[in-house]
Amino acid sequence: NSFVVRTNTCGELRSAHVGQKVTLYGWIQYQRQGLFLVLRDFQGLTQIIIPQDEAHSHVKKLLSNAPVESVVRVTGTVSPRPPGQENPKMPTGDIEVKAETAEILNFCKKLPFEIKDFIKKSEALRMQYRYLDLRSFQLQHNLRLRSRVVMRMREYLCNLHGFVDVETPTLFKRTPGGAKEFLVPSREAGKFYSLPQSPQQFKQLLMVAGLDRYFQVARCYRDEGSRPDRQPEFTQIDIEMSFVDQAGIQRLIEGLLQYSWPEERGSITTPFPSMTYEEALAEYGTDKPDTRFGMKIVDISDVLRLSDIQFVQNALSYPRGTIRAICIPQGVSYLKNKDLESLKESAKSQFNQEIMEIIRRPDGSLKSLLTKFLGEKQQLELIQALNMQVDDVVLLAAGEHKQVCSALGSLRLLSANLLEAAGLALRDPTAFHFLWVVDFPLFLPKAENPAELESAHHPFTAPHPSDASLLSSEPTKVRSQHYDLVLNGSEVGGGSIRIHSAEQQRFVLEKVLKEDSEVLSHLLEALESGAPPHGGIALGLDRLISLIVDAPSIRDVIAFPKSFRGRDLMANAPDYVTPEELEPYHVQVSWPLEEKEAKKN
């Protein structure tokens, strides 16, 4: 209550305050028949008793007629609630304030929705009236928790470990590869700035400058549409260190998260477990495994290798051919036939992967199109390999290793959703399972042209020391010194040890990625100027906070997010500008024909 004219907030009065005269400011949450109202501010609710005597008739008239969500000042005396009228669900439920004077500071018009967490509102309406949506206790809680976590992170990095908080530019130049960047026109004809996807180059340059330890709560931009876990502008905790290895970065981040973790979410255990990219793909079908539940992918190639099943033999004839399966516990009890069909259809449409099901009956026998091709011994081996219990359902896939694992990894998550929707508790909503994923490939074939390579993460990632000799001869076999941090199946951070040799960086850009290194001449020149070995990481702050508070979308932990299509529905941005405003930037808009006609009309 420092610096303001109230004596208390609406969430702090207790029995100990009985008899005190207080002044409260807030919004009218609820008013009942001119008898009492509930006043709300950022900290909570207080019940205000409206006086009924003639001497305070003006106060009664004022408060009885004020619309809900009007802003008021109330001065009165704290009293205990009458016996039996206490409200144990409210922190202030033992007391009430008997109003003596009041003032309406601002009347509220009729709003598009009620300010209550349980009122259902469309996403578009919430975005359009975001300043009203932010009045809800849940969003206020999310933003305040986010603020506390960031403050603790600053303490840990700057006060305890000597990091320097540096702000890097927002207007920069285009970076080769990676996500699409937003362009900003300049007054030089044909020249554009680019909004950075991350401060990647700047933080490396700060290491060349000898700053040693850099940190920033960085705003980043990507022009690739919006998804539930993505926004065109987002925030990351950006970190870079000199003279560090992968283990050093990992220990730093574990300590950082342990120090800044909200007490109400329990404690987290360090060190976090670690898994290679290949292990993650083989067991979970993804590079960001949700390790809160089992249903791991099992390799059953050896069990079926000697069978006469044609599709099995075809699959095993591939260079990386495999037969794998997942076992859905109590699938018969919890999944309907239409659920199993939707799972198979999902694998077919997304991964072009056929799926076969196997069910274990109550008598222990197997029900499947496969069983007629399998002897008793093979069936028993299959049951043992998958640890199949009665009423379990197995989904089996055969084919190329990565395709099979990716398809089963997707089905594993879809199955978990279906089981939980049917009432089987599978993932503990209060559990936080962190995991490091390491040893990623350094390069991947381009989707549009597999003969060409692109960086699996970005072109500044250093190769694994054991694989550096393969850079020129077999670049697809080179592992990187990249590491991802995964929490409950979502990637919340990623980083790497960087290339600090100008010669190696130039080779990667020109010979492997076939990029024009001239675009990065400033960085290459810096690496030739005595660049120390260095590495870093960036934590996705929005995603991390959304997981901590169990929000369905990162939009629920950002004050003013963009819509699903990347628009600001409140201010209606992006918006048109006039040709006159564009003229200094040497930009002309080429309108599609139908839009030209629409503008004429």
Side-chain angles (χ1 to χ4, degrees):
N1 297 308
S2 50
F3 315 117
V4 292
V5 287
R6 64 176 176 241
T7 61
N8 300 86
T9 67
C10 294
E12 70 176 291
L13 295 176
R14 302 290 188 271
S15 297
H17 297 93
V18 167
Q20 291 184 16
K21 192 165 185 175
V22 297
T23 298
L24 307 179
Y25 287 76
W27 287 259
I28 298 176
Q29 171 96 355
Y30 173 77
Q31 194 263 114
R32 184 174 180 186
Q33 298 173 346
L35 298 173
F36 70 87
L37 59 82
V38 174
L39 199 62
R40 183 193 76 242
D41 68 6
F42 70 94
Q43 203 175 46
L45 306 169
T46 297
Q47 181 165 291
I48 309 293
I49 299 301
I50 300 173
Q52 303 299 311
D53 59 307
E54 190 61 33
H56 293 91
S57 59
H58 63 292
V59 176
K60 179 181 179 180
K61 183 179 179 184
L62 202 68
L63 295 179
S64 300
N65 295 333
V68 168
E69 291 302 310
S70 295
V71 184
V72 301
R73 172 192 61 77
V74 173
T75 297
T77 303
V78 182
S79 304
R81 290 201 189 189
Q85 292 186 23
E86 298 91 347
N87 185 348
K89 294 180 180 177
M90 284 173 68
T92 61
D94 289 335
I95 60 92
E96 56 195 17
V97 173
K98 292 185 175 175
E100 295 165 15
T101 66
E103 180 186 0
I104 308 298
L105 301 172
N106 214 329
F107 284 90
C108 182
K109 66 176 185 176
K110 184 172 173 55
L111 300 180
F113 52 80
E114 290 184 71
I115 312 299
K116 289 174 182 169
D117 284 337
F118 60 83
I119 297 290
K120 295 290 183 188
K121 309 171 279 280
S122 73
E123 190 76 4
L125 200 62
R126 292 179 61 200
M127 295 295 109
Q128 187 179 351
Y129 297 97
R130 187 62 169 181
Y131 48 88
L132 295 179
D133 197 34
L134 285 171
R135 289 184 187 175
S136 77
F137 279 123
Q138 185 58 59
L139 291 192
Q140 291 252 336
H141 169 264
N142 293 353
L143 292 183
R144 291 175 193 282
L145 181 137
R146 176 181 175 131
S147 173
R148 289 201 310 273
V149 168
V150 171
M151 194 67 227
R152 294 282 287 172
M153 287 180 167
R154 286 186 188 279
E155 285 176 15
Y156 183 84
L157 292 168
C158 297
N159 296 353
L160 299 183
H161 293 287
F163 279 77
V164 184
D165 187 349
V166 181
E167 295 166 18
T168 54
T170 300
L171 295 175
F172 194 43
K173 67 185 290 187
R174 192 186 71 81
T175 307
K180 291 181 181 176
E181 296 172 336
F182 285 100
L183 297 177
V184 180
S186 76
R187 291 174 184 265
E188 293 186 58
K191 292 189 175 182
F192 291 79
Y193 293 108
S194 182
L195 300 184
Q197 303 164 39
S198 79
Q200 182 60 47
Q201 293 181 52
F202 291 114
K203 61 182 184 177
Q204 290 192 239
L205 293 168
L206 288 169
M207 296 305 100
V208 177
L211 211 71
D212 194 67
R213 295 181 171 205
Y214 145 91
F215 146 76
Q216 183 183 187
V217 181
R219 300 291 287 164
C220 306
Y221 308 87
R222 281 184 192 157
D223 186 12
E224 53 182 14
S226 196
R227 302 203 302 260
D229 61 344
R230 285 272 174 96
Q231 283 275 295
E233 51 181 325
F234 55 98
T235 307
Q236 62 188 36
I237 303 296
D238 204 48
I239 290 170
E240 198 80 2
M241 296 174 73
S242 296
F243 310 110
V244 71
D245 60 10
Q246 181 171 308
I249 295 285
Q250 289 174 333
R251 297 298 85 80
L252 168 77
I253 294 304
E254 289 167 359
L256 172 70
L257 288 169
Q258 207 167 33
Y259 185 86
S260 58
W261 197 255
E263 282 183 22
E264 62 267 33
R265 291 296 175 183
S267 58
I268 53 177
T269 306
T270 58
F272 302 153
S274 182
M275 181 182 295
T276 68
Y277 167 80
E278 284 296 340
E279 287 169 340
L281 185 65
E283 293 185 6
Y284 296 95
T286 175
D287 59 5
K288 41 181 182 287
D290 188 344
T291 56
R292 288 174 296 172
F293 68 108
M295 286 172 57
K296 289 185 185 179
I297 299 169
V298 179
D299 187 351
I300 53 172
S301 303
D302 290 342
V303 176
L304 300 179
R305 194 175 299 278
L306 299 177
S307 70
D308 296 327
I309 307 167
Q310 191 59 49
F311 79 88
V312 167
Q313 296 307 323
N314 289 346
L316 292 176
S317 66
Y318 295 151
R320 292 205 72 192
T322 187
I323 318 294
R324 294 186 181 240
I326 57 170
C327 183
I328 304 172
Q330 302 175 62
V332 172
S333 307
Y334 286 95
L335 300 183
K336 301 181 177 70
N337 282 336
K338 68 180 179 67
D339 293 330
L340 291 172
E341 289 306 314
S342 75
L343 290 171
K344 289 195 269 190
E345 177 52 38
S346 168
K348 180 69 177 169
S349 60
Q350 287 189 53
F351 301 95
N352 194 29
Q353 180 65 55
E354 296 289 347
I355 298 292
M356 186 165 285
E357 67 192 77
I358 307 170
I359 293 170
R360 191 169 188 198
R361 297 188 180 102
D363 64 3
S365 65
L366 299 182
K367 176 189 174 186
S368 172
L369 295 174
L370 282 179
T371 49
K372 61 182 178 184
F373 300 104
L374 301 175
E376 267 188 49
K377 182 172 177 289
Q378 280 180 310
Q379 290 190 35
L380 188 62
E381 286 176 356
L382 198 59
I383 289 169
Q384 289 173 340
L386 293 160
N387 192 23
M388 279 185 84
Q389 309 299 314
V390 168
D391 284 348
D392 285 357
V393 174
V394 163
L395 301 180
L396 180 148
E400 190 274 327
H401 173 74
K402 187 171 184 181
Q403 178 180 310
V404 163
C405 291
S406 298
L408 288 175
S410 173
L411 296 187
R412 175 179 178 266
L413 295 176
L414 291 173
S415 302
N417 293 340
L418 289 169
L419 290 173
E420 289 182 334
L424 181 66
L426 206 60
R427 292 171 286 201
D428 180 355
T430 65
F432 294 96
H433 284 220
F434 283 97
L435 174 74
W436 288 109
V437 179
V438 300
D439 289 355
F440 284 83
L442 188 58
F443 307 109
L444 293 172
K446 285 185 178 178
E448 65 276 13
N449 183 4
E452 294 182 7
L453 296 178
E454 62 185 0
S455 295
H457 289 94
H458 59 59
F460 314 116
T461 302
H464 196 287
S466 310
D467 299 349
S469 60
L470 299 172
L471 261 181
S472 53
S473 56
E474 296 179 283
T476 54
K477 291 186 178 177
V478 179
R479 291 168 298 162
S480 70
Q481 291 191 70
H482 179 95
Y483 31 85
D484 274 354
L485 182 60
V486 177
L487 172 58
N488 293 356
S490 289
E491 181 194 330
V492 292
S496 64
I497 301 302
R498 323 299 186 189
I499 296 172
H500 66 278
S501 153
E503 184 185 358
Q504 190 177 71
Q505 185 66 79
R506 189 174 275 110
F507 182 86
V508 166
L509 289 168
E510 294 176 358
K511 305 299 183 188
V512 181
L513 300 176
K514 315 295 185 192
E515 294 277 4
D516 179 9
S517 66
E518 190 57 35
V519 179
L520 292 167
S521 58
H522 58 283
L523 180 66
L524 292 167
E525 197 170 331
L527 295 180
E528 291 174 327
S529 307
H534 57 283
I537 193 168
L539 297 178
L541 182 64
D542 309 308
R543 200 174 303 178
L544 177 64
I545 301 296
S546 71
L547 290 167
I548 291 174
V549 301
D550 195 26
S553 162
I554 63 170
R555 289 192 288 274
D556 291 331
V557 299
I558 300 171
F560 296 99
K562 300 293 185 286
S563 74
F564 188 73
R565 294 180 180 274
R567 293 188 58 80
D568 180 339
L569 300 182
M570 182 180 67
N572 195 28
D575 203 358
Y576 296 107
V577 294
T578 64
E580 292 75 25
E581 288 171 298
L582 286 174
E583 194 173 337
Y585 302 104
H586 312 282
V587 171
Q588 285 183 314
V589 177
S590 176
W591 296 99
L593 189 59
E594 60 271 20
E595 288 195 39
K596 276 185 186 173
E597 295 302 317
K599 286 177 78 69
K600 278 182 193 173
N601 298 331

